[in-house]
Amino acid sequence: MPEQTKKFDTIIIGAGAAGLMCAAHAGRNTLVLEHMPKPGEKIRISGGGRCNFTNLYSGPENFLSLNPHFAKSALSRYTQWDFIDLVARHGIGWHEKTLGQLFCDESSQNIIDMLLAEMHGAGARLWLSTSVDGVKRQDDGFAVFVNRNGLGQTLLARNLVVACGGKSIPKIGASDLGYRIARQFDHAVTETRPGLVPLTFGAEARFSAMSGLACPARVVAGGAGFDEALLFTHRGLSGPAILQASSYWREGEEIAVTLLPQSDILGHLRTTRSAAGRKEVATVLAEVMPKRLAQFFAERAGVDGRLADQSDACLEHLVAQLVDWRLKPTGSEGYRKAEVTLGGVDTNGLNSRTMESRTVPGLFFIGEVVDVAGWLGGYNFQWAWSSGWSAGQAITASISDRRGP
């Protein structure tokens, strides 16, 4: 065979979370291709550099897809507990933050190193800084045309795994390559859009004056509600509650915000009116929320002056602004700041147990490129582990069947 042509059992496009996981289970003669100079970039930057690698409460209900049942098989066959066991075997310390979110004690690099060790231990190889120029179906598998160190090569493989992610965070190499490959093989791709992304508002929203302020909130969009922190930015709103709701929001729709959902704000105002009525309304409101935010809502409600001078109706009007704040975003920060891509390769064309194409034998799609997107909090990494493991197991089984006992 010429030097420029090499043959593998399996080629995996993408050395992200799903691709590395798959490589650890797909058999010895596996090659992973990554166009970036380092593997696992999304792992590296996640969780503030400590990688929110899974969630204790991960389940199918925490994922969005046109087919909400598709993820059930993979998630049930390789669970969060399986990945936690893997982390423990590698001696990686971890801790739970809020809402079941698990983070490394030290660094995201621990997870990358673990996956690389698992991959290399299984006999797989990794080529970095290698771009994929095209793929082609052949009788016995696939030809993958790559450029490595300025040299064009043709690689042959019986199995091809597309694990190159979605469009989110292009600065770390995100592209639409996976969708282009899917369409090439006549797979439908559902509408894609940014998910887990900050929302933006027009200048009239006046949020820039409150940039940096955070407040507990309940945010509802598209029928889904989330109780977490809300953060004001120069261009709009962010924070966990907004990021979660953004995946359910559609342009032109309103979101509903309840600030301090666990607090009895009206009761606090009434009690203080009786005990210290000389206090300014905004001053009392600032006892339960940031001062600038209290001033903003007092002005917005047209409530000014001493608390003793305010009627019940006036206070109720003020509180209504806080507990049922209706806003219409003008847009989002887009893929530049989105943590995940919603939509992707249509699951109707894939086997939910193996991630293999129903129409092109040996072609697999895993991770974010598929129309499965999780909530904030480690869920998307769990989908990467589960779908990558499922494809790897299926490939190993198929190779064993071909080679026989």
Side-chain angles (χ1 to χ4, degrees), residues 322-389:
L322 300 169
V323 301
D324 190 22
W325 187 21
R326 301 291 175 130
L327 295 151
K328 184 178 288 187
T330 55
S332 78
E333 293 287 1
Y335 290 114
R336 181 174 63 93
K337 291 193 175 181
E339 296 197 18
V340 73
T341 302
L342 300 169
V345 178
D346 194 331
T347 58
N348 287 329
L350 305 178
N351 182 310
S352 64
R353 183 176 177 84
T354 65
M355 304 293 122
E356 186 174 14
S357 166
R358 294 186 181 276
T359 55
V360 184
L363 179 62
F364 298 77
F365 294 89
I366 59 175
E368 189 180 345
V369 74
V370 179
D371 175 28
V372 176
W375 288 4
L376 183 73
Y379 298 99
N380 285 297
F381 277 130
Q382 186 57 47
W383 171 244
W385 317 138
S386 297
S387 61
W389 180 91

Side-chain angles (χ1 to χ4, degrees), residues 47-373:
R50 291 196 174 182
C51 188
N52 179 193
F53 58 81
T54 193
N55 195 291
L56 292 176
Y57 308 115
S58 181
E61 65 277 7
N62 306 118
F63 294 84
L64 293 83
S65 173
L66 288 182
N67 179 0
H69 301 292
F70 179 82
K72 288 181 178 179
S73 177
L75 291 171
S76 66
R77 292 171 60 236
Y78 190 89
T79 70
Q80 58 268 43
W81 308 111
D82 294 312
F83 195 78
I84 291 168
D85 286 344
L86 177 62
V87 169
R89 290 201 303 273
H90 282 260
I92 299 172
W94 57 269
H95 59 277
E96 179 186 356
K97 282 194 175 179
T98 183
L99 302 173
Q101 301 168 11
L102 303 189
F103 291 78
C104 296
D105 286 345
E106 296 179 358
S107 168
S108 299
Q109 191 63 43
N110 295 152
I111 299 297
I112 298 172
D113 292 343
M114 175 191 76
L115 293 169
L116 291 174
E118 289 285 311
M119 184 194 84
H120 291 309
R125 282 174 277 178
L126 172 62
W127 286 6
L128 298 171
S129 300
T130 303
S131 61
V132 174
D133 296 331
V135 300
K136 183 180 179 181
R137 182 79 167 125
Q138 298 200 150
D139 290 341
D140 58 348
F142 303 87
V144 182
F145 308 101
V146 304
N147 189 297
R148 186 186 189 208
N149 299 324
L151 177 65
Q153 298 187 51
T154 299
L155 311 176
L156 304 178
R158 194 173 290 273
N159 302 295
L160 179 64
V161 182
V162 180
C164 44
K167 300 177 182 178
S168 58
I169 320 182
K171 71 178 181 181
I172 60 170
S175 77
D176 65 348
L177 175 62
Y179 308 136
R180 286 188 274 121
I181 294 174
R183 292 188 179 102
Q184 177 183 336
F185 291 103
D186 295 324
H187 273 268
V189 177
T190 68
E191 176 195 5
T192 57
R193 55 195 176 92
L196 301 179
V197 63
L199 298 177
T200 57
F201 297 81
E204 68 278 3
R206 295 188 298 150
F207 291 158
S208 59
M210 294 180 288
S211 179
L213 297 182
C215 185
R218 177 172 177 78
V219 180
V220 177
F226 298 91
D227 292 76
E228 293 192 63
L230 177 148
L231 174 69
F232 289 85
T233 71
H234 283 290
R235 288 168 47 84
L237 297 174
S238 187
I242 289 291
L243 297 182
Q244 295 277 43
S246 73
S247 292
Y248 293 84
W249 173 77
R250 290 282 189 165
E251 288 194 8
E253 295 179 349
E254 282 187 336
I255 63 171
V257 177
T258 300
L259 296 174
L260 302 170
Q262 304 301 319
S263 301
D264 180 8
I265 303 173
L266 182 59
H268 177 69
L269 291 172
R270 283 173 169 165
T271 299
T272 307
R273 183 178 60 183
S274 299
R278 290 188 176 185
K279 287 186 175 182
E280 295 287 315
V281 174
T283 301
V284 177
L285 202 55
E287 294 172 1
V288 294
M289 64 173 54
K291 181 179 179 180
R292 279 180 289 160
L293 194 57
Q295 291 172 337
F296 171 82
F297 277 100
E299 291 174 7
R300 187 171 184 270
V303 177
D304 192 20
R306 299 187 311 167
L307 198 56
D309 298 330
Q310 313 303 322
S311 66
D312 279 350
C314 188
L315 296 182
E316 288 167 3
H317 172 67
L318 169 60
V319 172
Q321 307 292 311
L322 300 169
V323 301
D324 190 22
W325 187 21
R326 301 291 175 130
L327 295 151
K328 184 178 288 187
T330 55
S332 78
E333 293 287 1
Y335 290 114
R336 181 174 63 93
K337 291 193 175 181
E339 296 197 18
V340 73
T341 302
L342 300 169
V345 178
D346 194 331
T347 58
N348 287 329
L350 305 178
N351 182 310
S352 64
R353 183 176 177 84
T354 65
M355 304 293 122
E356 186 174 14
S357 166
R358 294 186 181 276
T359 55
V360 184
L363 179 62
F364 298 77
F365 294 89
I366 59 175
E368 189 180 345
V369 74
V370 179
D371 175 28
V372 176

